[in-house]
Every structure is written in C-alpha cells, then in structure tokens.
Amino acid sequence: MSFIKKPSVHHPKLPTNALGLNRRDYEGALSTLCAGCGHDSVSSAIIEACYNLSIPAHKLAKLSGIGCSSKTPTYFLNKSHGFNSVHGRMPSVATGANLANRDLVYLGVSGDGDTASIGLGQFCHIIRRRLNMLYVVDNNGTYGLTKGQFSATNDKNSKSKKGEDNPFESIDLAALAIQLGAGFVARSFSGDKDQLIPLMTAALKYRGFAFIDVVSPCVTFNNHSQSTKSYEYFREHNEALGYLDVIPETEEIKVNYKEGSSAQVQMHDGSKMILHKLDKSHNLYDRGNSIKILNDHQTKGSIVTGLIYLDKEERDLHDTINSNQKPLNILTEKDLCPGSKGLDYVNASFR
Amino acid sequence: MSKINDFVVKFANVNGSGSASANAMFAKSIFRMGIPVTPKNIFPSNIQGLPTWFEVRISKHGYAARREGIDCFITLNPQTYQTDVKEILPGGYLVYDNTMPRNFSRKDINYIGIPMASICAENYDDPRQRQLFKNIVCLGALAALLKIDIKIIESLIKEDFEKKPKLIPPNIKALYLGRDFALENLDCDLNVGLKKIRTTKKKILIQGNEAAGLGCVYGGATVVGWYPITPSTSLVEAFQKYVNLFRVKDNGEVSAGIIQAEDELAAVGMAIGANWNGARAFTATSGPGISLMSEFLGLAYFAEIPLVLFNIQRGGPSTGMPTRTQQSDILSCAYASHGDTKHILLFPSDPKECFEMAAQSFDLAEILQTPIIVMSDLDIGMNDWVIDPLQWNDKTSYERGKVLKKQDLDELMNWGRYLDVDGDGIPYRTLPGTHETKGSYFTRGTSHDAFAGYTEDGRINADNMMRITKKFKKSVKYLPKSVRRKAKKDTNIGLIYFGSTSVAIDEANDILESQGHATDLLRIRSFPFGRGISSFIDDHDHIIVMEQNRDAQMRSLLINELNKDSSKIHSILNFDGSPVTANFIVKAFLNLLKKNQVVFKSLKKKQSAA
Ligand SMILES: Cc1ncc(C[n+]2csc(CCOP(=O)(O)OP(=O)(O)O)c2C)c(N)n1
Ligand code: SF4
Ligand SMILES: [Mg+2]
C-alpha cells in the first residue's frame, strides 16, 4: 500500500499541543504492515506520547534494526530523522548517535528477534551503559518478517501456528533489563492504550535507559489459540501492576488518585509521574523484588504489565564519561585541534 | 673492518621479564646520539614466559628497514639460544650472562660473558629487583662495549621514572655496575660501535599508532567505538592519551566519547551512528575485526555515511599471527561486505603519514560520505620509527562536506538525500535536529530512490548504484597521490610498492642501482587508483609489485581495477610475518630477471636500443 500518498490536508479543528502542532504533525507514512498487527498500535502510542509531551519531532531521532517492528519508525514522526540499521545492531548505532549529540531524544524500536537473538549482546551492553534513550521492543514471540519462526521470547509452552512445540526456555527481556541496570523498565500490551501511552510518555522523559517490552501480537504468524503472545491469551492472563499519569512540570496536579494506592515520583525535569498501583505490595524501586515479581507471574502463567522497576536516580552515559555539556557534533577545530603549539609539545616528547 | 654506526644488535628476552623498558632505552639513547636507529619488537601473542626479541638496526645512512645478519646478539633467553646463535655474522659478538657456565659451538664468533645474575644477587635483596635490574646491568655493560653516551641513558632513566623517583637511584646504580664491570673486566675494543653524529638531531622517534591516534585528535574526531585487538589497541590508547592532554576542560568535562565496545560489530556501529549524527568518529581494528565489521561497512557504503576505520594489519588468515606483520587485507578491505561494494583505502608508509592521513581521513570521509579505511600494519603501528617532526598548519579548517544547514533548507524546495545535484555523485546530507519541517529522511540499507524512499524498482536502484560508482571514481581527486621516482637511467622496469615496504625498497633500489640495474619506482598511497598509476604501468614493459602477502593482492587489485595485461605484472612477495628486508627484495628481483627470460630479453633489447 506504500504507493498511496497520504493526504496532508490541514484540519483546523484538530486540537493542538504546546507547540501548536496537532497529532497529524506527528504521523508518518502509511503503514504497510498486516491489518491488525500489534506494531501499528505501538506506533500510535508513540505518536500520542510525543504529541502529549510536545516534543519537536526534528529533535527526536528514531532508530531501529531489521524486522516488521523495525520498519515501524517509517510510520510515525516523519519530521524526525530515522535510521533503519542492520539486524540486531540498533543499540550501537544509537550509542554513537547519542554520543555525537546529547541534546536530542533517542527512540529505538526493535523486535524480539532483533533484540533477544541476533542483537542480545548489544542490548545487554547498551543497558549497562545506561544510554539515554527509550528502547521499545514490539514483542510478538516470532520472527514476523521472515515468516513465523520461533523467537527467543517465545514461551516454552507456546505452540507455533503449525502446532509445533517450542522446546526452549524463553528470555524475559524486562527481567534482563532490570538486572543489567536499566533505570526504567515496563511491560505493556499493544492493545492497552490507557496503559501504554502514559508509560511511553514517562519513559521518553526519563534520563537514562528506559525500556518497554510491549507484547504486540503478530496476527499473521502468532495469534492462534495456542500462542501465549496472542490477543486472546494476553487479555486472559494480563495482571496489571498499575497505571500511571505523567504531569508536566507546568501543570498543576489535577488527576484524582487515591492515597495509599498511589505514589508520586518527581522526574529530573521537574514533571511528576503518578503511579496508580493496583498491587500495593509491589515495591518498584527494588531490583530484586521487581525481578521476583516477573518470575513469580511467569511461573503462574500470567503476564505482569505496568511500570515494573524504576531507579529514581536518573543518570546516563554522558554523566559516566563526563563528556562536554555541548553536543560533540557542534564542536569546531577551535575546540578540538591543539594546533602547531600542541604539536611542538608532542614532538619534543619524542626526542 | 670496523662498523661504526652501521650494525645490527638483537636482544633475546623472555616476555614479562622487564626487558622492554631497557630495550627501549637502548634504542633511544642511540637515537639521541644523533644516529638513525630502527628498532623492531618481535613478540609472541602471550603475556609472560615466551620468547621475545628486540632487533635494532643502526645505520648512519639512514636505512630504516630490517637487515639480516646480527653483529651483536644479547642472548638472555636460554630457550632460544640454539637458533639465536645461528643468526650471528662471522666475526660477530654473542653477549650472555655467564653466572652459569655455558657451552658454545661456533668458533667464528666472539663471546662476551657478563655475570648479570650474580652482580644483581650481590647488590639487591628483593628477588623481583634482582630480575629486573639484570636488564639494566646489561645495558650499562653495552654502554661500555658499544660506546653509548651513558649520560644519555641516565637522563632516560630519570625521564622514565619521573613519577616513581624512588626507582631512579637503584636503576642508575645498576647501570654503573654493568658499565664498571665491562670497563674493568672486558676488552671493550669491538669492531662495532657508536659515535655521535647529528643526523637525527631534528627528528623524532615515534610509533605509527601513536601518530595516528594523535592525528585523530588533530582531525577533530570526537567519538570512538573500539574493541581491543593487537596491533590496533595502542592507536586508541594514544587517542585517549591526547584527549586527556588536550581536550579536558577546566571543569573536567571531556570533549570526546570513547567507548570500549562489546565487539567489533558494536565498535563500528557506534562510529557509524556518531558520523550519521554529525560527529567525526572512528574505530580501529585488525583482520578479525574487519571480518566482523563487514556487514556494517556495506551499510555505511550504501547509505553513504562517513566513517574512518583504521586497519592495523597483522598476519592472517583467521587468528593467524596476531603479533606479526603483513599487508594481507588489501582485497578484503577494498571489497569488504556483500553485494557490489568498494572502499577507499589509504596506505601510510610511516608514522608521519599515519598522522597526516589520520587527520585527512576525516575530511575525506565527510566530503565523500563513505568509509575511509587507513591500511597501516603492525610494523608501522607498533615499532618506533625515526621521522621528521610532525607538522600542522594552523590555517587548516575541517572540510565538513555537503551538509545542509537550516538556512539552506529554508531556501530549498526539492531536497533529496541521494540526488546528484552537482554531477559529482556526491549528494547533500542533513543532520538530525536541523530544521523543524524540512530535511528529515530515513537512512536505510534497503534499496532507495534519490529521496531516500524505499524502492524495489530495479532501475532506480541501478541508477543509484551507478551514481555511487561515479562518486567513487571521482574521489581520486581528493586522495593522496602516488609517488613516482625515476631511475637515473632509462628503464623498462617499474616497481610498485606501498606502506611499510617503502623503507626496504629505498635500500634495495640503492643496492640494485649500485649493481647497474635501473628501476622506476611508484609508491601507491590510495585506492581507487589514480591515472598516474595506470600510466606508470603502461609506460613500462615489466611491472613488479612488491607486497607482504601470499596472494599478490595488490597485483590482483591493479589488474582488476585498471584492466591491465596480467602477463607483464610480476610479484615479489614476503609473508613470513617479519618486515621485509632490502636483501630479500634484491635477491627476488635478480631471480625474477634470471628466471623470467622474457623480462631479461626485452630488457636487453631496450637497453641496446637506447
Ligand atoms: C544478518 C541478518 N540475518 C538475517 C536477516 C533476516 N531477518 C530479517 S527480519 C528477521 C527477524 C525479525 O524478527 P523480529 O525482530 O522479531 O521482528 P518482527 O518481524 O517479528 O517484528 C530476520 C531473521 C537479516 N536481515 N540480517
Ligand atoms: S507478519 Fe506479523 S509482525 Fe509482520 S506485519 Fe504481519 S502481523 Fe505484523
Ligand atoms: Mg518478532
């Protein structure tokens, strides 16, 4: 369908955000994914979150690997630069891009094949480095683009469309992310806008590595009755830890929330995140506890969603290496080149 | 025959025994006496316990290649003694530790025993010091035997231990213990020796990786992704060192981001991501890393992203000879990655060119929007070379290539990332964050049209591929030109070479010339090849390509890319992992003349016609 040009008609009545932009301004090309693919809902949530936050699209860079999921950056934010890299290697490209210009917002979109198999190494290491970015996995438990092979996030008790058993243990990307030092780790479902959009919003604001594992069913290859990543299975087994609201610094807190079931977190830029916790026992600031919750639910066959782990101390790779506050890509020969004087000194040291 | 300022000294050591710093001081003190010196580290891929050698050629003529035949061998490693002794020239010297008695087989060399272990045992209590100072005692004795200015060594010790001043007195003590032993007990009148001259007075002694790392600082690199691999690691370490020296602000902020990656895939991915986002970025590796980086190189080539990559070549294939030198990645770099790909290669021949080409490569990468691979090797990268001081013109400004700014985009109506506006095949790029509404595009490794849109239209893709070919061909005008040297007499033989082979060629050519052979020389400095190289081949009946690999890779590249008659292009190949010597080249050259009747005959014909 890519040959159909989307009409860019202006609708004067559409609501606008703080930049005076409407949702349309955050859209991308028309999706060429299968109708009903979960990934398209994730793209919509991204558009919604960026609109809500009034992010200037050109100040966001969207990066991806290879796969149906990795194609999606074409379908949102067409005023942003995009980089469709090689299979599983988006993290390294994002790392370089972020080092070059610390002032942009970095959004990575990947698939479960892209992240949990070929790119598992890069995924682990980008987390360890706490790159300042939001990393989203459209997790469908399968290799969509290569037509339905099992992926490493596919549950052991899940069957393929042809009825084959998956004999191998699955990788829980959220648990891995918590263990390796990600500061913001959430899981959600592509069909749950109410939960996904605020999570995206908060994650985009987080300074450090934010990860959202979005269960996003592949309607073509993994949405049958014996799959654990189908719409049906998910709706029956979802146990939400909570919902949240994100309130920009400039707005006063209007959202109603019940004391005792909610918590408020201030983010580095002054905005507030309000968590409506359904499960009061969940202490989301404790790594060990967060991993335990994931494990416990997995054993029960249920899928927890919501914000699973949060490190209130926001910090990123630039803090670690103490790099120039100015983006490195705007430095000039004046800042960078020690000139002939410097060379005199160096030459003398090799006499 | 006295060999003043013209001989070869070799040390046989065990690695991890502390010999490295004494060896370096030996070479440097000769350099400071004004005498051209060429030290070569010959080391194993191991941290402790295996044999290492340190070979030092001293040449008042300034010949900087290795030379076979050792005049003075300091054998401190019993493991290698049997083979070491065979390398000594008749009439040469074998220096050894005679604390324990030894048997000697050769009658035609001189033996000089120095009781290094017992001297140290008498003077030092700490067993570690006893071991370490043996090297310094030996150095002191060599100062007496070879007439090194001991004051120079003293000052080198002081410089070396500037940060650990406690170690200065015991080191100096060891130095004089060795010297005094020699003066008192040995006949120090050898037929090899040193005499101060002024030849290296204005020069510096530096390794190629050090110079290249510095060149990256000068060239404005800010982002590095890298993964440790011999012999490239010291390049990144040098970059880090000079960043610490020159790029740290008063508040401690650093104007660079250096990341040790999880592997070479990530290392090159980081460099590509940073370049895409407008920072100058590089990575450095060696053969195995090149293999891993190939997929990404294809992306940078096809999506037209600047990138600087240093390949410090080592012995291949596979893990190969990790600590030996070769020029055996020519083809794998020229055509790295699947599909139709070609890359720009630069061939530095010494540390000076490592510095210059490193700095220049960032301009080239941004002008041409493609990977630039700097093809150094272990010999240049990890050995000290005597070169002229490095120079920098303060008027230099970085050439950032065709990058559109906000104002440019305001005025532009129909920008396309891959449109050939200027007819040179080089399109205009934009950086993320430049303009609110214009200039965004999707960088992809999939086939794309001039507006960066995905296309499966084969004609559009072919057009784009042809534009990239055009850009590649036209890149020649920006690249370092080949260097041509005419023989004193007319000749129909042309010799082509590149990189670290150059010093051996210089010397071999002098030898051949003195024997009446005339050869025109051409040194390749970049790929794709310029017209000068093509006409050089056309201008000669016979071409010899000298290179340090088995498969004559440069020869293949020349024949393939310039479409030349292969029958007239011969090879001299050295691939034993040691830097080639002039003698090897001379012998191989004469063999070629003898074996190859065609060459010989037509040579005669030409000469008689002349
Ligand atoms: C190096 C390499 N190997 C294999 C492929 C083929 N390939 C393309 S997409 C894909 C799997 C994608 O799966 P996932 O990341 O889960 O994305 P999905 O399509 O399911 O969204 C594979 C194996 C490739 N592009 N590159
Ligand atoms: S194959 Fe699956 S993942 Fe790919 S677009 Fe179709 S539904 Fe989505
Ligand atoms: Mg998938």
Side-chain angles (χ1 to χ4, degrees):
Chain A
M1 296 216 297
S2 57
F3 48 87
I4 305 174
K5 270 250 159 66
K6 226 194 232 182
S8 57
V9 217
H10 204 68
H11 296 263
K13 276 181 219 128
L14 285 176
T16 55
N17 63 11
L19 292 175
L21 300 172
N22 62 49
R23 281 178 179 78
R24 278 276 162 102
D25 295 316
Y26 288 88
E27 286 176 352
L30 206 64
S31 170
T32 60
L33 301 183
C34 308
C37 174
H39 301 355
D40 279 334
S41 311
V42 183
S43 299
S44 305
I46 291 170
I47 291 171
E48 207 48 42
C50 292
Y51 167 80
N52 288 343
L53 287 171
S54 299
I55 293 176
H58 72 297
K59 295 289 184 194
L60 181 148
K62 43 184 190 176
L63 301 106
S64 61
I66 299 290
C68 297
S69 35
S70 293
K71 282 184 181 184
T72 63
T74 333
Y75 315 138
F76 57 80
L77 302 188
N78 63 9
K79 302 285 186 304
S80 301
H81 273 63
F83 197 145
N84 195 197
S85 68
V86 286
H87 195 19
R89 256 74 74 157
M90 173 268 281
S92 60
V93 176
T95 304
N98 185 305
L99 285 170
N101 185 357
R102 60 191 298 168
D103 286 353
L104 301 184
V105 176
Y106 293 91
L107 169 64
V109 181
S110 175
D112 44 317
D114 203 59
T115 291
S117 288
I118 193 165
L120 189 61
Q122 296 212 346
F123 178 65
C124 292
H125 289 277
I126 198 174
I127 298 173
R128 288 179 61 238
R129 295 186 188 106
R130 285 187 169 234
L131 197 80
N132 185 16
M133 76 178 299
L134 165 57
Y135 191 119
V136 177
V137 168
D138 293 353
N139 188 350
N140 54 15
T142 190
Y143 285 20
L145 195 58
T146 51
K147 304 197 172 186
Q149 299 82 6
F150 282 131
S151 86
T153 63
N154 197 270
D155 290 309
K156 204 175 170 184
N157 55 347
S158 185
K159 281 191 196 304
S160 77
K161 201 176 170 183
K162 291 181 207 142
E164 296 156 331
D165 283 317
N166 170 23
F168 301 113
E169 288 297 333
S170 69
I171 294 175
D172 186 326
L173 291 171
L176 195 62
I178 296 168
Q179 183 162 27
L180 293 171
F184 181 114
V185 179
R187 172 167 290 150
S188 191
F189 177 50
S190 62
D192 187 352
K193 266 192 351 200
D194 291 345
Q195 187 189 48
L196 186 55
I197 294 167
L199 278 175
M200 290 268 184
T201 311
L204 279 167
K205 292 180 81 70
Y206 188 80
R207 199 182 65 176
F209 191 80
F211 175 65
I212 308 181
D213 181 23
V214 188
V215 177
S216 170
C218 168
V219 289
T220 307
F221 297 111
N222 205 18
N223 194 37
H224 47 91
S225 58
Q226 288 168 308
S227 159
T228 59
K229 298 253 190 305
S230 62
Y231 284 108
E232 187 190 332
Y233 185 92
F234 195 90
R235 291 210 164 102
E236 277 165 20
H237 296 79
N238 175 22
E239 228 171 277
L241 286 179
Y243 284 75
L244 55 80
D245 288 303
V246 180
I247 298 157
E249 183 196 7
T250 45
E251 266 172 51
E252 57 179 305
I253 301 171
K254 287 190 252 147
V255 197
N256 273 329
Y257 62 96
K258 274 191 217 127
E259 288 291 341
S261 67
S262 307
Q264 206 190 91
V265 180
Q266 177 142 355
M267 303 188 74
H268 73 283
D269 66 348
S271 57
K272 298 200 172 51
M273 197 154 75
I274 297 175
L275 298 144
H276 305 267
K277 290 196 286 182
L278 296 185
D279 181 346
K280 281 183 204 158
S281 67
H282 180 47
N283 173 5
L284 85 164
Y285 310 119
D286 178 327
R287 273 204 213 183
N289 183 56
S290 296
I291 292 175
K292 187 169 176 306
I293 291 219
L294 285 169
N295 285 340
D296 290 351
H297 281 79
Q298 206 223 358
T299 325
K300 281 194 294 182
S302 64
I303 307 160
V304 278
T305 59
L307 183 54
I308 300 163
Y309 174 72
L310 182 71
D311 183 348
K312 278 191 273 190
E313 200 194 309
E314 296 176 46
R315 65 190 158 84
D316 83 329
L317 179 61
H318 284 281
D319 300 331
T320 309
I321 64 172
N322 197 19
S323 50
N324 198 326
Q325 287 294 330
K326 275 198 213 161
L328 296 176
N329 70 351
I330 62 165
L331 301 180
T332 64
E333 28 300 66
K334 267 206 202 97
D335 311 293
L336 301 173
C337 181
S340 58
K341 244 203 184 143
L343 214 44
D344 290 345
Y345 174 85
V346 174
N347 279 324
S349 73
F350 290 102
R351 277 289 317 147
Chain B
M1 189 181 70
S2 130
K3 298 176 171 176
I4 300 300
N5 291 350
D6 191 12
F7 58 99
V8 177
V9 180
K10 190 166 178 176
F11 296 78
N13 304 110
V14 178
N15 74 339
S17 68
S19 53
S21 74
N23 289 347
M25 281 194 258
F26 174 80
K28 191 131 194 189
S29 57
I30 298 170
F31 168 75
R32 287 206 183 161
M33 288 176 71
I35 308 160
V37 65
T38 305
K40 303 276 182 220
N41 266 304
I42 304 160
F43 58 103
S45 179
N46 187 64
I47 302 302
Q48 203 171 48
L50 286 189
T52 67
W53 292 269
F54 186 64
E55 203 177 281
V56 185
R57 175 158 188 205
I58 294 132
S59 165
K60 61 184 170 205
H61 309 291
Y63 289 134
R66 271 185 71 233
R67 196 206 75 188
E68 291 114 342
I70 307 302
D71 296 288
C72 180
F73 210 135
I74 294 91
T75 57
L76 301 179
N77 184 0
Q79 273 174 283
T80 58
Y81 174 75
Q82 290 306 335
T83 46
D84 290 343
V85 73
K86 291 186 193 141
E87 288 182 37
I88 303 172
L89 293 170
Y93 300 88
L94 185 151
V95 178
Y96 69 107
D97 187 343
N98 66 354
T99 304
M100 304 282 267
R102 278 227 221 148
N103 290 326
F104 299 112
S105 45
R106 278 180 69 172
K107 297 274 177 286
D108 61 339
I109 57 173
N110 308 291
Y111 297 91
I112 302 175
I114 302 163
M116 304 169 203
S118 71
I119 291 177
C120 288
E122 280 162 29
N123 288 279
Y124 301 96
D125 298 328
D126 175 7
R128 176 83 187 136
Q129 287 202 339
R130 285 179 178 178
Q131 171 60 34
L132 286 175
F133 287 134
K134 278 202 293 193
N135 301 298
I136 304 294
V137 167
C138 179
L139 185 58
L142 288 175
L145 289 163
L146 300 174
K147 318 285 181 292
I148 307 173
D149 181 347
I150 199 153
K151 287 287 168 209
I152 293 181
I153 308 180
E154 240 190 278
S155 53
L156 284 171
I157 290 175
K158 285 177 191 156
E159 290 165 26
D160 263 24
F161 295 105
E162 202 188 328
K163 294 208 175 89
K164 299 179 205 157
K166 262 199 198 148
L167 290 175
I168 296 173
N171 268 287
I172 290 182
K173 178 178 156 187
L175 184 70
Y176 281 93
L177 283 170
R179 186 198 63 160
D180 294 347
F181 173 87
L183 290 178
E184 285 157 25
N185 302 286
L186 303 173
D187 173 6
C188 291
D189 191 18
L190 314 190
N191 72 6
V192 291
L194 299 160
K195 217 174 129 186
K196 275 193 187 172
I197 52 176
R198 304 172 63 82
T199 312
T200 63
K201 191 150 191 309
K202 295 224 167 73
K203 309 233 169 199
I204 61 170
L205 186 66
I206 189 171
Q207 302 189 353
N209 285 350
E210 184 90 19
L214 181 68
C216 292
V217 171
Y218 274 74
T222 52
V223 177
V224 183
W226 72 288
Y227 190 77
I229 185 169
T230 307
S232 74
T233 302
S234 57
L235 194 160
V236 179
E237 287 170 347
F239 181 76
Q240 174 87 64
K241 171 178 143 189
Y242 292 111
V243 161
N244 293 346
L245 186 65
F246 292 122
R247 294 252 194 97
V248 181
K249 301 196 338 191
D250 294 338
N251 63 6
E253 284 172 19
V254 184
S255 295
I258 304 171
I259 304 296
Q260 184 184 321
E262 53 272 32
D263 54 36
E264 284 87 349
L265 283 67
V268 73
M270 289 175 194
I272 289 172
N275 273 301
W276 172 77
N277 212 0
R280 294 189 150 189
F282 73 94
T283 184
T285 190
S286 193
I290 294 291
S291 295
L292 288 180
M293 291 177 183
S294 287
E295 185 193 26
F296 254 134
L297 281 170
L299 173 72
Y301 172 81
F302 192 40
E304 300 180 69
I305 302 166
L307 170 70
V308 173
L309 163 61
F310 292 87
N311 179 6
I312 315 302
Q313 295 168 91
R314 64 189 211 179
S318 187
T319 306
M321 295 198 290
T323 57
R324 304 301 153 105
T325 198
Q326 266 181 7
Q327 300 174 313
S328 51
D329 300 340
I330 311 296
L331 289 174
S332 65
C333 285
Y335 300 130
S337 208
H338 54 278
D340 289 323
T341 52
K342 275 185 194 182
H343 304 291
I344 292 170
L345 311 179
L346 305 183
F347 299 98
S349 68
D350 64 11
K352 194 167 174 56
E353 282 193 338
C354 285
F355 173 77
E356 291 162 356
M357 288 183 178
Q360 187 193 4
S361 63
F362 293 95
D363 278 356
L364 292 174
E366 290 194 321
I367 292 170
L368 297 164
Q369 302 177 24
T370 197
I372 307 292
I373 311 181
V374 185
M375 304 288 286
S376 178
D377 64 23
L378 182 142
D379 183 21
I380 308 177
M382 290 185 72
N383 286 315
D384 277 319
W385 291 54
V386 174
I387 56 164
D388 287 331
L390 303 172
Q391 281 176 344
W392 186 259
N393 180 348
D394 287 322
K395 294 202 185 91
T396 311
S397 60
Y398 299 154
E399 302 234 8
R400 307 298 310 250
K402 299 183 189 177
V403 181
L404 296 174
K405 299 269 173 295
K406 188 174 184 317
Q407 304 90 286
D408 304 325
L409 284 166
D410 276 336
E411 287 156 20
L412 270 175
M413 288 311 292
N414 198 28
W415 172 75
R417 170 66 182 94
Y418 299 109
L419 270 180
D420 185 8
V421 180
D422 302 328
D424 58 359
I426 306 173
Y428 284 82
R429 63 181 188 128
T430 58
L431 302 180
T434 306
H435 196 285
E436 294 85 352
T437 53
K438 287 169 142 187
S440 66
Y441 71 101
F442 210 66
T443 301
R444 55 173 89 244
T446 39
S447 42
H448 43 265
D449 59 23
F451 296 86
Y454 178 62
T455 179
E456 289 183 11
D457 182 328
R459 288 225 320 272
I460 293 177
N461 187 50
D463 283 349
N464 186 47
M465 288 295 284
M466 286 317 292
R467 180 189 51 78
I468 298 178
T469 302
K470 183 205 252 178
K471 173 177 87 166
F472 189 75
K473 283 192 180 145
K474 290 194 179 250
S475 71
V476 167
K477 78 171 197 207
Y478 299 99
L479 305 180
K481 303 244 165 337
S482 56
V483 180
R484 197 168 170 161
R485 217 178 336 149
K486 258 196 94 45
K488 286 180 189 137
K489 289 193 287 187
D490 272 356
T491 176
N492 65 342
I493 302 180
L495 181 59
I496 295 180
Y497 61 101
F498 57 96
S500 61
T501 308
S502 308
V503 282
I505 292 282
D506 290 344
E507 186 179 357
N509 189 51
D510 284 357
I511 298 171
L512 287 168
E513 207 170 62
S514 72
Q515 296 175 3
H517 300 282
T519 320
D520 290 335
L521 304 178
L522 179 120
R523 178 160 74 86
I524 294 174
R525 299 209 301 157
S526 58
F527 172 73
F529 304 123
R531 232 182 276 145
I533 299 175
S534 182
S535 60
F536 183 83
I537 296 176
D538 295 340
D539 290 349
H540 295 86
D541 296 339
H542 304 289
I543 291 290
I544 300 170
V545 185
M546 165 69 221
E547 49 191 314
Q548 306 197 48
N549 60 64
R550 184 193 68 178
D551 292 344
Q553 297 185 22
M554 185 61 91
R555 176 179 178 269
S556 297
L557 196 62
L558 286 163
I559 291 169
N560 190 38
E561 292 289 326
L562 297 176
N563 205 9
K564 298 294 177 197
D565 169 13
S566 64
S567 68
K568 75 174 215 185
I569 308 185
H570 311 271
S571 277
I572 297 179
L573 304 170
N574 170 72
F575 49 95
D576 65 1
S578 303
V580 70
T581 63
N583 256 345
F584 178 94
I585 296 171
V586 169
K587 258 189 227 160
F589 182 94
L590 296 176
N591 264 341
L592 263 182
L593 290 197
K594 212 185 304 171
K595 256 201 297 195
N596 205 315
Q597 285 300 316
V598 189
V599 177
F600 196 50
K601 258 190 227 152
S602 64
L603 181 70
K604 269 190 166 167
K605 200 170 67 201
K606 252 272 169 64
Q607 275 175 353
S608 57

